[in-house]
Amino acid sequence: LLGPPGSGKGTQASLLSEKIGFFHFETSSVIKDKLKNGDSEVNIEEEKTLARMKKLIPVFSNLLEKFRNLALVGDIRHIGLIGAIELVKDKKTKRSFSFRERIGLEAYKEGIKHNLILRPLGNIIYLFLPLCIKKDELQDVIDRTYSVIKTLS
């Protein structure tokens, strides 16, 4: 969820988490907790974030490859832990869905059924994964995203 400070993102995320089981992670809370516990700064090297990412990025890349066999997937792209899954009407010709078909919206709605908030922009589903994600959580997000797109096929 995105919005300026005080707009209710945390409240809405907590409600979604409580009522339908969405995973709720709030970066600002982690930073505030660290500062409250006497840490004067948040050091990504100290947290070994970069080392963990070096291990997770190839896993993410490999997990995304399985999407290529789905009928609706025209292309897969990623950089770091940001992935893009392009949905196409015809895999062979790479013909896109029209705007009126709203395939991104359909993916979003199906994602909700899988307790997953997907971020479609047109015909592309973007995955913006948090740097704190663990391997088993990554696997879970990818598995549920795969199920969503497979259901739409």
Side-chain angles (χ1 to χ4, degrees), residues 38-82:
D39 293 343
S40 60
E41 61 184 58
V42 178
N43 185 331
I44 63 170
E45 284 300 324
E46 183 180 300
E47 298 292 324
K48 297 184 171 79
T49 302
L50 298 178
R52 281 188 320 97
M53 290 305 96
K54 283 182 183 177
K55 292 177 185 173
L56 273 181
I57 291 168
V59 172
F60 181 54
S61 179
N62 288 334
L63 290 171
L64 284 176
E65 284 303 312
K66 73 180 184 177
F67 286 84
R68 291 192 191 279
N69 69 19
L70 294 175
L72 290 183
V73 176
D75 194 19
I76 303 281
R77 301 180 288 283
H78 79 88
I79 184 166
L81 288 178
I82 299 171

Side-chain angles (χ1 to χ4, degrees), residues 98-116:
S98 72
F99 177 75
R100 293 187 195 283
E101 291 174 283
R102 308 281 307 247
I103 191 67
L105 177 60
E106 294 307 312
Y108 172 81
K109 288 192 229 177
E110 189 63 32
I112 296 294
K113 294 176 188 174
H114 289 80
N115 292 337
L116 187 67

